[in-house]
Amino acid sequence: MHQPALPHLQSQDPEIAGLVEAEARRQFEKIRLIASENYVSPAVLEATGSVLTNKYSEGYAGRRYYEGQQNVDPIELLAIERAKALFGVEHANVQPYSGSPANLAVYLAFLQPGDTVMGLSLPMGGHLTHGWSVSATGRWFNPVRYEVRAEDGRVDMDQVRDLALKERPKLIWCGGTAVPRTIDFPAFAEIAREAGAVLAADVAHIAGLIAGGAHPSPAGHADVITTTTHKTLRGPRGAMILSTQEHAKAIDKAVFPGLQGGPHDHTTAAIAVALDEASRPGFAAYAHQVVANAKALAAALLERGYDLVSGGTDNHLVLIDLTGKGVPGKPAAQALDRAGIELNYNAVPFDPRKPFDPSGLRLGTAAITTRGLTEDRMPRIAAWIDEVVQAVAAEDEAAVARVAGEVRELLAGYPMPGWATAP
Ligand SMILES: *Cc1c(COP(=O)(O)O)cnc(C)c1O
C-alpha cells in the first residue's frame, strides 16, 4: 500500500484514493525505465505533501509581497545554499515551476522576441524548449538547429561551430532529452564565446549524475545552467536555474515577476531535502551505479543484436533503434508496458517514421537503480525486452503475459520508497 498511508483521502474520496493506491502498486510492480522518472525518498514525499502548500510567498527571501514568511524564507535560503554548494555555482534560483518554465525564463532574461536561438534538433534528442517549432520558443524566437552525425549519432561539434559563427545566435542550448553521450561543455563554451552567445546548459536529465560526480559539470563553462529536480536528481517536480553572480539579477527578475507568481513552497522544501540527500556519499554511489547499470543494459542489448544510437551510452540513457528488428517503437513500447516494462517510444536521429509512431525506444536506469537493481540484473531485463519485441513480431500475447509475471516476481525482492507491502 501507499506509504505514508492515506486514511483521510480513503474515507473522503475513495475514487481518487483508489487510483493513487493503484498507481503506487503499478510503480511497485513495473520495471520503470522511463529515462526522466525516478522514485523520491519518503522524506521528499513528506515535504511535498506538507502544509507549505497553503502558503503564498511571491518575491524572494527578505523581499516578499506577503506577510508570514518566517519559515518559508529560511526554507528557500537553505534550498539555494544547498544548490550552490552541490553544483559549485554562485547563484541559484529554485522557484521555476518545472523545466520548461525555467528554460522560458532564460529566454526572458537574455533575448528579445525574434532573436536567434540555437539548440539540438528535437528529433535528434533536443528538447521542445530549445527552439522547436511547436514550442513558444520556436515561434517567438528565430530557431536554428544543430544535429548529430549520421555515422556515430554524436553531436557534430564542427557543425555547431559553423552554424554558430554563421547565424550568430544570442543563446545556445546544449543538453537534451535523448542524449546518451557525455556533453562536451568546454567545447560548447568556446564556441559560444567565439560567436558572442550566451551558453545555457540544460542538464535536466543528468543533474543527478553531475551532483554525484558521474558526469562532468557545466559549472565554470556555461553562463547559465537549467535543470529539473525530478529526474536523476531524485527530487520533487520542479526546476532550478544556476548561474554566475553576473546573471543573478536578470534571472531572478525573469522568473519573478517576469514569468511566474508565487513559488510552490512545498516543492522548494522538497528540493532542499533532495539536494541534501544528493550531497551525501551514498548519492555519489547511486549516480555511478545508474551509469554502470545503463552500460550493462546497453551491452546486453548489443549482444542480442539491437542497434543503439551512438553505439552505447555514457550516462543513464539508452536509445534503441528498432529499424533492423522490423518492429516500430510504439507497438513495442505498448507491449513492453503490458509485460511490466515501462518505457517510451522515441524518435531516433534521421528517423524515417513519424514522431507519433517512431522507430526507437528510450530507456533509462535512474528509477530501477533507486530500487536497488545492479548490473547483474541487466542481462535479464535485456532478455525480457528482446522476448517482448519478438512477441510483437509474432503476435504472441502469451509470451508478453509470461514476462509480466516474471517481472513482478523479480521486483517483489526490491523495496520501493512510497510503498509498503501489506503485512
Ligand atoms: C524534462 C526536460 C525539460 C522539461 O521539464 P518539464 O519539467 O517537463 O517541463 C527541459 N529540458 C530537458 C532537457 C528535459 O529533459
Side-chain angles (χ1 to χ4, degrees):
M1 56 186 282
H2 193 279
Q3 195 70 1
L6 311 165
H8 301 90
L9 193 58
Q10 251 143 17
S11 64
Q12 182 185 317
D13 194 334
E15 205 174 359
I16 290 293
L19 290 167
V20 176
E21 281 292 346
E23 175 61 16
R25 174 175 294 281
R26 196 193 66 80
Q27 291 187 14
F28 180 67
E29 290 182 345
K30 279 197 176 158
I31 295 180
R32 297 176 57 233
L33 294 176
I34 292 182
S36 50
E37 294 185 352
N38 211 327
Y39 296 93
V40 298
S41 72
V44 168
L45 212 50
E46 281 177 15
T48 307
S50 69
V51 295
L52 288 164
T53 199
N54 299 337
K55 190 69 196 110
Y56 239 104
S57 35
E58 283 183 359
Y60 292 100
R63 299 172 280 138
R64 305 279 189 187
Y65 290 82
Y66 297 89
E67 298 313 312
Q69 311 297 342
Q70 293 84 354
N71 307 305
V72 166
D73 274 5
I75 286 170
E76 188 169 326
L77 289 172
L78 269 172
I80 289 168
E81 286 312 311
R82 288 173 183 180
K84 284 160 60 177
L86 185 63
F87 289 97
V89 293
E90 293 170 4
H91 180 70
N93 186 308
V94 297
Q95 293 194 1
Y97 298 142
S98 213
S100 304
N103 287 355
L104 208 49
V106 172
Y107 288 84
L108 192 56
F110 295 105
L111 271 61
Q112 295 296 321
D115 281 349
T116 299
V117 57
M118 190 167 128
L120 178 61
S121 146
L122 179 79
M124 302 267 164
H127 192 260
L128 281 164
T129 56
H130 298 180
W132 195 241
S133 46
V134 295
S135 158
T137 62
R139 292 174 55 184
W140 297 345
F141 301 93
N142 172 41
V144 295
R145 296 167 190 126
Y146 57 93
E147 304 193 330
V148 300
R149 279 188 298 255
E151 309 90 80
D152 61 2
R154 293 175 189 242
V155 171
D156 186 341
M157 295 307 293
D158 292 333
Q159 189 206 17
V160 173
R161 185 167 180 278
D162 292 348
L163 207 56
L165 295 180
K166 177 165 158 273
E167 302 283 348
R168 297 281 164 176
K170 273 210 179 148
L171 173 66
I172 299 175
W173 288 103
C174 59
T177 60
V179 179
R181 294 297 181 176
T182 301
I183 300 163
D184 191 344
F185 298 120
F188 270 104
E190 199 182 313
I191 291 167
R193 219 172 8 250
E194 249 183 291
V198 169
L199 177 65
D202 180 348
V203 299
H205 264 265
I206 53 174
L209 305 183
I210 292 166
H215 187 289
S217 171
H221 302 294
D223 300 288
V224 195
I225 302 165
T226 65
T227 182
T228 56
T229 46
H230 47 268
K231 299 179 183 176
T232 54
L233 192 55
R234 215 161 66 180
R237 305 305 284 244
M240 306 189 293
I241 305 177
L242 314 172
S243 73
T244 54
Q245 200 51 46
E246 183 191 350
H247 302 304
K249 222 171 162 178
I251 286 164
D252 284 354
K253 269 177 62 184
V255 173
F256 176 86
L259 205 58
Q260 299 189 167
H264 295 176
D265 299 320
H266 56 305
T267 299
T268 307
I271 289 173
V273 173
L275 290 168
D276 176 62
E277 290 174 1
S279 72
R280 297 179 188 198
F283 194 87
Y286 164 71
H288 285 91
Q289 188 64 54
V290 167
V291 176
N293 282 351
K295 285 180 184 289
L297 193 53
L301 287 165
L302 286 170
E303 209 164 289
R304 288 179 175 274
Y306 283 80
D307 284 334
L308 305 183
V309 172
S310 83
T313 183
D314 298 326
N315 53 33
H316 65 302
L317 189 145
V318 177
L319 198 53
I320 304 175
D321 184 345
L322 285 175
T323 307
K325 296 284 176 184
V327 175
K330 195 173 186 176
Q334 289 169 339
L336 281 160
D337 189 57
R338 293 198 298 280
I341 298 173
E342 183 192 7
L343 42 67
N344 65 282
Y345 59 85
N346 210 96
V348 296
F350 310 101
D351 203 325
R353 302 180 61 88
K354 295 259 183 300
F356 204 61
D357 186 16
S359 304
L361 296 174
R362 185 187 73 156
L363 39 94
T365 51
I368 57 170
T369 306
T370 297
R371 288 290 291 272
L373 274 74
T374 45
E375 293 102 303
D376 52 315
R377 296 294 185 188
M378 299 305 126
R380 185 69 262 190
I381 294 176
W384 281 328
I385 291 172
D386 191 24
E387 272 176 63
V388 173
V389 169
Q390 289 186 38
V392 173
E395 297 185 33
D396 180 1
E397 198 56 32
V400 173
R402 192 181 60 243
V403 171
E406 291 171 9
V407 164
R408 269 199 303 277
E409 206 172 300
L410 171 79
L411 288 180
Y414 292 90
M416 162 187 152
W419 171 265
T421 307

